[in-house]
Amino acid sequence: EQGSSYDNCTPREDLLISFSPNPADSVRTYTCADVGQQLVQVWVTDASNNQDYCETTLTIQDNMTACADTLVVLGGTVANENAQGVESVTVELNGDVTSMAYTSPQGVFQFPDVPVGYDFTVTPSYNDNPLNGVTTFDIVLLQRHILHVQLLDSPYKVIAGDVNNNGTLTVSDVVDLRKLVLHSVPNFPNNTSWRFVDKQWNFTDPMNPFDPAFPEVCNLNDLPTNQLPVDFVAVKVGDLNNTAITSSLHDGGVDERSARELPLRTPQQQFKAGQL
């Protein structure tokens, strides 16, 4: 507004307001393609052609749904830190419209016909086969990390090691992981089989990815027509060496094995012929 600008010589009513250094550039037209936030510059020119400007953001809204026919395809990928797509992940879209999709063998999902200009939340979930990729070697890796003998080399592996989902790696995680490997429990006690991290998230401390809490959903505000893909990094809980089978296109990795001998001790017992 002119009322918010002033000059020490030129009267306010004679100041020229424009959207660029050109004083004649005083009109901006927005359409349904511009729904969302738009950055603009507001320039003020006095009688002596002195200029100054400020930047502000305009929020273009479709309050009367006049742009209901402006639809976009919203999609992305769900893949582990090695860029292997995870298949059959359920992805929910909530907001002005609600929908559900499943990832392809490449880890790709899509929501067609999503109206622009509204707020949406994208949430992946997958809680099948908790033993996928989990072996005794993962227990060894978790113990080494806790004892600071060999630290896990990525924040996603640290998240995978938080088996009981309490935001820290302790002996309790080792116990719960061992119970799962020995089939003493069918599932993780307080966790899902897979967790998902917004790929755009930057960890403050990769060795402590729990503080601050990482986002497991993606919030989209005023969905624009040029929305970038919504990508997630998939974390298989308990799999600390990325050997989980992620889709029909990947058969997982190969667990490391050692050739060294290990002692096996059992209390002295007596047996009779025919006993197991």
Side-chain angles (χ1 to χ4, degrees), residues 129 131 134 176-187:
N129 193 8
L131 271 173
V134 179
D176 289 337
L177 193 57
R178 183 179 290 115
K179 288 180 180 179
L180 184 72
V181 171
L182 296 176
H183 298 272
S184 299
V185 294
N187 301 293

Side-chain angles (χ1 to χ4, degrees), residues 120-199:
F120 294 96
T121 299
V122 181
T123 308
S125 62
Y126 192 33
N127 197 28
D128 290 354
N129 193 8
L131 271 173
N132 182 11
V134 179
T135 67
T136 54
F137 187 64
D138 295 298
I139 298 176
V140 174
L141 293 177
L142 182 55
Q143 290 175 322
R144 290 177 180 174
H145 178 86
I146 293 173
L147 296 173
H148 292 270
V149 174
Q150 179 183 356
L151 296 179
L152 299 171
D153 59 7
S154 81
Y156 303 108
K157 290 177 182 177
V158 175
I159 294 172
D162 183 22
V163 174
N164 59 13
N165 194 17
N166 68 348
T168 184
L169 272 59
T170 64
V171 176
S172 297
D173 296 298
V174 176
V175 173
D176 289 337
L177 193 57
R178 183 179 290 115
K179 288 180 180 179
L180 184 72
V181 171
L182 296 176
H183 298 272
S184 299
V185 294
N187 301 293
F188 296 110
N190 190 39
N191 211 342
T192 54
S193 182
W194 290 81
R195 299 182 71 178
F196 304 92
V197 184
D198 187 341
K199 191 175 180 178

Side-chain angles (χ1 to χ4, degrees), residues 40-263:
V40 297
Q41 291 184 346
V42 180
W43 287 77
V44 180
T45 306
D46 68 9
S48 299
N49 288 323
N50 297 310
Q51 293 182 313
D52 202 351
Y53 76 95
C54 67
E55 289 188 345
T56 187
T57 300
L58 295 179
T59 301
I60 311 300
Q61 298 178 327
D62 180 24
N63 297 325
M64 303 302 293
T65 65
C67 299
D69 57 346
T70 304
L71 305 173
V72 296
V73 177
L74 178 63
T77 59
V78 179
N80 64 12
E81 62 178 316
N82 292 335
Q84 294 177 325
V86 182
E87 186 177 3
S88 300
V89 175
T90 301
V91 184
E92 294 185 27
L93 177 70
N94 292 289
D96 185 66
V97 297
T98 301
S99 185
M100 181 181 296
Y102 297 92
T103 54
S104 69
Q106 293 80 14
V108 176
F109 67 91
Q110 282 189 342
F111 296 103
D113 302 332
V114 180
V116 301
Y118 296 93
D119 298 341
F120 294 96
T121 299
V122 181
T123 308
S125 62
Y126 192 33
N127 197 28
D128 290 354
N129 193 8
L131 271 173
N132 182 11
V134 179
T135 67
T136 54
F137 187 64
D138 295 298
I139 298 176
V140 174
L141 293 177
L142 182 55
Q143 290 175 322
R144 290 177 180 174
H145 178 86
I146 293 173
L147 296 173
H148 292 270
V149 174
Q150 179 183 356
L151 296 179
L152 299 171
D153 59 7
S154 81
Y156 303 108
K157 290 177 182 177
V158 175
I159 294 172
D162 183 22
V163 174
N164 59 13
N165 194 17
N166 68 348
T168 184
L169 272 59
T170 64
V171 176
S172 297
D173 296 298
V174 176
V175 173
D176 289 337
L177 193 57
R178 183 179 290 115
K179 288 180 180 179
L180 184 72
V181 171
L182 296 176
H183 298 272
S184 299
V185 294
N187 301 293
F188 296 110
N190 190 39
N191 211 342
T192 54
S193 182
W194 290 81
R195 299 182 71 178
F196 304 92
V197 184
D198 187 341
K199 191 175 180 178
Q200 301 302 317
W201 179 254
N202 292 317
F203 295 97
T204 303
D205 180 2
M207 287 298 96
N208 182 21
F210 312 106
D211 185 20
F214 54 87
E216 300 188 68
V217 302
C218 182
N219 295 312
L220 306 173
N221 298 320
D222 300 324
L223 181 68
T225 56
N226 59 344
Q227 172 63 46
L228 296 175
V230 179
D231 298 329
F232 292 91
V233 177
V235 177
K236 176 62 188 70
V237 175
D239 177 19
L240 277 62
N241 57 349
N242 289 325
T243 58
I245 298 174
T246 60
S247 77
S248 55
L249 301 178
H250 305 285
D251 58 1
V254 177
D255 279 353
E256 298 180 24
R257 292 290 185 262
S258 63
R260 60 195 176 99
E261 295 183 357
L262 298 175

